[in-house]
Amino acid sequence: MNKNQLELHSEDIPYVEKPKDQARLRKAPEHFISEDFIADVNKNGLDENRRGFLRKGFLSAIGGAAGLAAAPAAFASAAGDPAILEKQEWQTTLGKNVATMPYGLPSVYESNLIRRESPGLTRVSAASVSFTPLQGLFGMITPNGLHFERHHQGWYNVDPNKHRLMVNGLVKSERVFTMSDLMRMPSVSRIHFIECGANTGLEWGNVAVPTVQYTHGMLSCCEFTGVPLSVLLDECGADLKKGKFLLAEGGDGSGMTRTINLDSALKDAIVAWGMNGEMLRPENGFPLRLVVPGVQGVSWVKWLRRLEVGDMPYGAKDEAIHYIDLMPNGLHRQYTSIQECKSVITTPSGGQQLLDKGFYNVTGMAWSGRGKIKRVDVSFDGGNNWRTARLETPVLTKAVTRFNIDWVWDGSPSIMQSRAMDDTGYVQPTIKALRDIRGTRSIYHNNAIQSWKLDSNGEVSNVQVG
Amino acid sequence: MYKLGKLTSCFSLMATLMMAAGIAYAQGSASGSGKFPGIGRAATPAEVAAWDIDVRPDFKGLPNGSGSVKKGEAVWEAQCASCHGTFGESNEVFTPIAGGTTKDDIKTGRVAALADNKQPQRTTLMKVATISTLWDYIYRAMPWNAPRSLSYDDTYALVAYILYLGDVVPDTFVLSNANMKQAQAMMPNRNGMTQQHGLWSVSGKPDVNAKPCMNNCVAFVQIGSTLPDYARNAHENIALQNREYGPYLGADSTKPPLSKLPGPGATGIVKVSMAAAPTGPAALFKKENCSACHAPAAKLVGPSIEQVAAKYKGQADAVQKLMVKVKKGGAGAWGAIPMPAQDQLSDADNKALVVWMLTGK
């Protein structure tokens, strides 16, 4: 045993109440540890003195309630669970009015699940990243307030009345559209994932961050509503024989520009204003952003103000200095855009704690920039043996697919992995296979199989295998 | 519509007509596809000129102008050095601009340090292959806190100065639209990019392939990398980044790992009850983005709270003085990077923040 590990003896463990965990049956004897004591343990840890106190408390509890200790699953009260037997405040008083919160917010009990920055990753918050708390999300859709953020020069509340979209370059008619113009056009609503090209980039060389929020949290999936790019370009008479590329430009101070390869963008890119049924959030480009399914997030230009059709790539800053992938031979791959097939187990995941042996639902997300998820396999032994997981519907192209698999944990250490396959037949690789080709310094496009190690103490941590 | 011989006179006539009509430019144009009558309008030449500022690698879009290394140095010192350092080495906040390239790289067009991995950091000049990228980005987005404030000539001068910092051109060099092509031919990493990969097109061929083996796939599972013990709590308490109920709680990373499984009572983990939304000056400090530049003890962009408190310790009018500084912003007291004015702060919030910084309460 590591000497840094906290030595909780088995006889101590059942008697420290975990407050607020009302969903679990609590064991007797209880209520003999004060709130002050819990706060003290939280602050100072559980040393020998405090453990002694616990033992003493236990003994006196036995003295007062002989027999209960012999039946550890019994309730404090023989009659049953206080959560049922006692009347709760929300059952006995009048609740709040409708529209108390005109724009609703999550329960106060959800306050732990928020976007977070990774300390030390960036030094200036206006050009930083906040990560989505994937460890607590369900299904395929990311709530708007938890969508990850990446800004190059801060975010704004752009006035939609003053926002314009210009289309120019190789078009018959260089045109200007207001938001009102665009929103009159025929629109589509489609669910797609967006993933930053640098997602999991911290982990190219070694394990760097503890939880799935930081390893994979530059990933979100929303329903986007807008006018198809092809409709807009057609309206302007784009010369698509000569014009194979599109420059997308943002209206922020960084004037973010990226070259879009029109080969697939003509099929599915959207000039979007809607996100999960409401307007885009300002952090995500309100009132207008480009949605380029399957392509890394930096190309989904926010506060979109201009589209220029051209006959060559533009070599913009974020495709000539950043977002280029360094290979072992010193060459940089330029215009790397497609987010290849990838998956991750989100629960349980790094930093989480299992309380007990027994049945668990293991769940995660899979996605591919080239199409639909065809299959996800899960391993509990570090990649030696695999079982195929259930895919939840709908399974959509270039969208997150949720997978689930049943699992009974016997208490022994385990290394959990998920491996996704898309409908092109591509199989998500190991980190070793990626490094063999791309080295460890490419920063971008790490779609390796993620490994989570589960120790016999129930704690899950981030590891790399091989 | 108007059959005039010269484009320029066409523009001026259009402009005159527009002025006469007031909002003539807002009227619909018949030049769309015709599928969506009433939607959109033709862009005016002035509008296209105002927004279409991109410069491509083939120099399409590059405006005429010129600037010397000498002028570039002056602009750099005034507008760029506070973030990027006097010699383009940058400060601790931004990655360096110049350095890591050699005379030999200029000959080959490949930066050798990218392959031999001897440079600790990759500078802009080590990476960038296209001089147009420097011109385009500096003109479009620099300086960071005042984009679009540089002239064409300033931009030429700055690009010239960056090339000078990288020993690509001599200090007498003058860059202009006329010699951009020659300067391009000297870029140290001009041959350092490849587009031969499978990630540019959706139908591209993947470079790494795996097989979906199901049983007895690996002979020996070896853990190659784990998070070091000292980093256990580097991302703050993970217990408070998870729900406090449900199948998987967060581990309390402020403490060492438990020695064994907590057990069915969920009781090995001692936690405080659900945290209320934080209020008070510490929360305000974060909400008002003070924390973007100021940390409790470490110097970030601005001084640490400790440094500020130490500087004003014992001064009777410290609160008043600091409140004015916060409200109006300024530069010079702690270095060259200016602190922006915080007009949005109410006096009460300002006072709460200042008192908290000085006293911790």
Side-chain angles (χ1 to χ4, degrees):
Chain A
M1 184 196 304
N2 182 336
K3 70 176 164 44
N4 290 327
Q5 290 192 331
L6 179 62
E7 288 190 37
L8 261 183
H9 296 291
S10 58
E11 65 269 29
D12 301 330
I13 290 171
Y15 315 118
V16 184
E17 183 193 3
K18 184 183 158 290
K20 299 293 176 191
D21 191 357
Q22 305 284 357
R24 282 184 177 270
L25 301 183
R26 285 183 291 171
K27 294 191 175 175
E30 57 185 357
H31 300 314
F32 66 90
I33 301 170
S34 69
E35 295 280 326
D36 288 348
F37 180 79
I38 291 168
D40 180 41
V41 172
N42 271 317
K43 199 168 159 220
N44 300 311
L46 199 54
D47 62 12
E48 199 44 49
N49 279 339
R50 292 183 179 87
R51 252 199 298 274
F53 175 84
L54 280 172
R55 289 204 191 94
K56 224 163 92 189
F58 174 50
L59 290 176
S60 64
I62 287 181
L68 277 179
F75 297 109
S77 156
D81 185 351
I84 296 170
L85 297 177
E86 291 168 13
K87 294 192 180 85
Q88 307 296 336
E89 185 198 354
W90 51 88
Q91 296 161 339
T92 54
T93 52
L94 185 59
K96 293 187 178 66
N97 294 335
V98 297
T100 299
M101 292 189 290
Y103 193 98
L105 292 172
S107 159
V108 292
Y109 290 95
E110 285 290 283
S111 62
N112 286 352
L113 294 168
I114 53 173
R115 295 190 284 224
R116 294 174 191 270
E117 286 182 85
S118 179
L121 180 61
T122 50
R123 304 303 292 270
V124 182
S125 290
S128 185
V129 175
S130 74
F131 296 85
T132 295
L134 302 180
Q135 69 274 21
L137 298 190
F138 313 113
M140 64 195 289
I141 297 291
T142 310
N144 282 347
L146 295 177
H147 191 298
F148 79 93
E149 299 169 275
R150 168 74 169 114
H151 315 307
H152 292 254
Q153 214 229 8
W155 63 272
Y156 304 81
N157 262 303
V158 170
D159 181 347
N161 296 298
K162 291 182 183 168
H163 191 74
R164 303 286 183 269
L165 176 69
M166 180 185 290
V167 182
N168 72 323
L170 297 174
V171 294
K172 276 203 195 88
S173 164
E174 298 189 312
R175 293 180 76 73
V176 171
F177 300 88
T178 62
M179 285 307 298
S180 306
D181 285 332
L182 293 169
M183 292 166 81
R184 274 171 69 182
M185 297 184 84
S187 64
V188 295
S189 294
R190 290 183 194 139
I191 296 174
H192 289 297
F193 79 84
I194 170 172
E195 182 185 21
C196 177
N199 201 25
T200 324
L202 292 165
E203 305 259 318
W204 265 111
N206 49 266
V207 166
V209 288
T211 75
V212 73
Q213 180 158 15
Y214 307 108
T215 58
H216 289 76
M218 288 194 278
L219 168 76
S220 297
C221 184
C222 297
E223 182 195 62
F224 293 97
T225 297
V227 56
L229 175 70
S230 57
V231 170
L232 204 55
L233 293 185
D234 182 53
E235 170 65 9
C236 300
D239 177 355
L240 299 175
K241 281 215 177 92
K242 264 164 80 183
K244 298 292 183 195
F245 302 98
L246 182 75
L247 184 76
E249 181 180 82
D252 61 329
S254 78
M256 251 289 305
T257 41
R258 269 295 301 208
T259 304
I260 311 296
N261 190 342
L262 278 175
D263 70 348
S264 57
L266 284 174
K267 296 189 191 101
D268 56 13
I270 305 169
V271 174
W273 52 83
M275 176 163 133
N276 289 339
E278 60 182 6
M279 286 299 286
L280 289 160
R281 292 289 171 92
E283 309 94 295
N284 304 116
F286 175 91
L288 200 65
R289 90 175 302 172
L290 193 61
V291 166
V292 198
V295 169
Q296 62 184 357
V298 68
S299 297
W300 296 40
V301 173
K302 297 189 282 188
W303 313 289
L304 181 72
R305 76 167 188 190
R306 193 168 70 91
L307 295 169
E308 179 180 311
V309 180
D311 56 7
M312 66 178 284
Y314 286 78
K317 184 260 285 176
D318 286 308
E319 56 198 19
I321 298 173
H322 305 299
Y323 300 89
I324 50 176
D325 307 14
L326 181 59
M327 294 296 110
N329 64 1
L331 275 178
H332 280 98
R333 288 182 177 172
Q334 196 175 17
Y335 306 112
T336 46
S337 303
I338 304 295
Q339 296 296 108
E340 293 185 300
C341 185
K342 187 168 174 181
S343 70
V344 64
I345 296 171
T346 52
T347 46
S349 57
Q352 290 189 328
Q353 172 77 51
L354 275 66
L355 303 173
D356 195 8
K357 301 172 195 175
F359 181 87
Y360 286 92
N361 182 56
V362 172
T363 185
M365 304 156 98
W367 62 100
S368 169
R370 287 207 165 96
K372 283 183 189 174
I373 291 299
K374 190 169 141 198
R375 195 174 99 194
V376 178
D377 301 321
V378 174
S379 170
F380 294 96
D381 60 6
N384 195 28
N385 296 290
W386 299 79
R387 281 195 289 141
T388 298
R390 301 192 308 275
L391 301 186
E392 301 307 317
T393 53
V395 176
L396 301 174
T397 185
K398 302 176 185 178
V400 163
T401 297
R402 171 66 59 174
F403 65 86
N404 287 294
I405 190 165
D406 296 351
W407 180 55
V408 176
W409 186 41
D410 64 4
S412 56
S414 165
I415 294 176
M416 304 182 202
Q417 301 178 332
S418 66
R419 178 183 68 195
M421 194 193 295
D422 68 20
D423 59 4
T424 70
Y426 175 88
V427 181
Q428 185 183 4
T430 62
I431 184 73
K432 183 179 180 303
L434 278 173
R435 283 183 188 143
D436 285 348
I437 303 291
R438 302 187 194 166
T440 58
R441 297 182 295 148
S442 82
I443 299 179
Y444 304 97
H445 302 106
N446 180 353
N447 67 324
I449 289 171
Q450 169 70 43
S451 302
W452 304 117
K453 178 164 172 274
L454 170 61
D455 280 318
S456 54
N457 66 355
E459 189 168 321
V460 185
S461 60
N462 183 8
V463 299
Q464 289 180 351
V465 170
Chain B
M1 257 191 333
Y2 304 104
K3 298 224 169 184
L4 291 183
K6 286 186 181 170
L7 208 59
T8 46
S9 46
C10 176
F11 290 160
S12 65
L13 178 57
M14 277 173 66
T16 312
L17 288 172
M18 278 174 196
M19 270 187 282
I23 51 161
Y25 70 88
Q27 305 295 312
S29 158
S31 52
S33 71
K35 283 184 197 156
F36 305 110
I39 292 178
R41 62 173 177 81
T44 71
E47 288 172 339
V48 174
W51 276 9
D52 184 0
I53 59 167
D54 64 82
V55 178
R56 297 199 315 193
D58 64 352
F59 305 125
K60 186 167 177 286
L62 183 69
N64 293 342
S66 71
S68 64
V69 169
K70 196 164 184 293
K71 184 185 173 188
E73 183 177 15
V75 180
W76 181 275
E77 289 294 337
Q79 309 238 43
C80 316
S82 62
C83 289
H84 292 301
T86 305
F87 301 104
E89 79 284 12
S90 297
N91 59 19
E92 62 186 29
V93 178
F94 296 95
T95 50
I97 301 294
T101 59
T102 65
K103 289 283 176 203
D104 209 39
D105 297 342
I106 296 168
K107 278 187 214 142
T108 62
R110 286 284 300 274
V111 171
L114 290 172
D116 68 22
N117 204 13
K118 283 180 183 154
Q119 282 288 325
Q121 229 177 343
R122 277 175 262 172
T123 69
T124 298
L125 269 190
M126 283 168 69
K127 294 188 282 181
V128 67
T130 36
I131 192 172
S132 59
T133 305
L134 296 176
W135 203 102
D136 175 277
Y137 185 66
I138 292 169
Y139 181 71
R140 119 182 354 263
M142 288 287 116
W144 207 45
N145 56 356
R148 298 297 303 275
S149 62
L150 296 169
S151 69
Y152 294 155
D153 288 349
D154 288 344
T155 308
Y156 278 105
L158 284 170
V159 175
Y161 185 64
I162 288 172
L163 295 180
Y164 162 73
L165 289 175
D167 277 336
V168 177
V169 299
D171 60 1
T172 53
F173 185 72
V174 180
L175 182 68
S176 71
N177 53 293
N179 65 3
M180 279 283 272
K181 210 169 169 182
Q182 286 91 307
Q184 170 62 39
M186 293 188 286
M187 293 293 279
N189 202 39
R190 63 186 175 279
N191 300 321
M193 297 285 168
T194 175
Q195 296 176 28
Q196 300 305 309
H197 56 75
L199 296 182
W200 188 202
S201 164
V202 75
S203 53
K205 190 173 180 294
D207 58 341
V208 181
N209 287 295
K211 289 205 167 68
C213 170
M214 294 303 282
N215 292 109
N216 300 318
C217 303
V218 284
F220 180 66
V221 177
Q222 185 177 10
I223 292 178
S225 175
T226 58
L227 205 62
D229 285 347
Y230 65 79
R232 179 169 171 78
N233 199 40
H235 283 68
E236 300 182 352
N237 192 352
I238 294 168
L240 300 179
Q241 300 177 33
N242 282 274
R243 293 193 180 90
E244 295 181 35
Y245 58 94
Y248 310 107
L249 310 185
D252 186 345
S253 56
T254 64
K255 302 199 189 76
L258 301 172
S259 64
K260 58 177 67 172
L261 200 60
T267 44
I269 306 161
V270 183
K271 288 203 291 188
V272 286
S273 56
M274 201 222 31
T279 55
L284 200 59
F285 191 75
K286 197 152 186 211
K287 181 170 157 266
E288 295 292 343
N289 279 333
C290 314
S291 55
C293 296
H294 303 281
K299 185 180 186 304
L300 294 182
V301 179
S304 71
I305 299 172
E306 273 180 9
Q307 286 174 310
V308 174
K311 180 166 179 169
Y312 287 89
K313 196 173 181 185
Q315 294 186 27
D317 56 349
V319 172
Q320 281 308 320
K321 256 186 177 163
L322 259 184
M323 279 177 68
V324 173
K325 289 215 172 224
V326 170
K327 192 101 180 166
K328 293 194 170 161
W334 296 94
I337 301 177
M339 168 166 156
Q342 306 292 329
D343 284 332
Q344 81 288 359
L345 272 183
S346 70
D347 285 348
D349 282 354
N350 189 350
K351 190 167 182 182
L353 276 170
V354 166
V355 169
W356 177 74
M357 283 192 288
L358 293 173
T359 66
K361 285 170 197 162

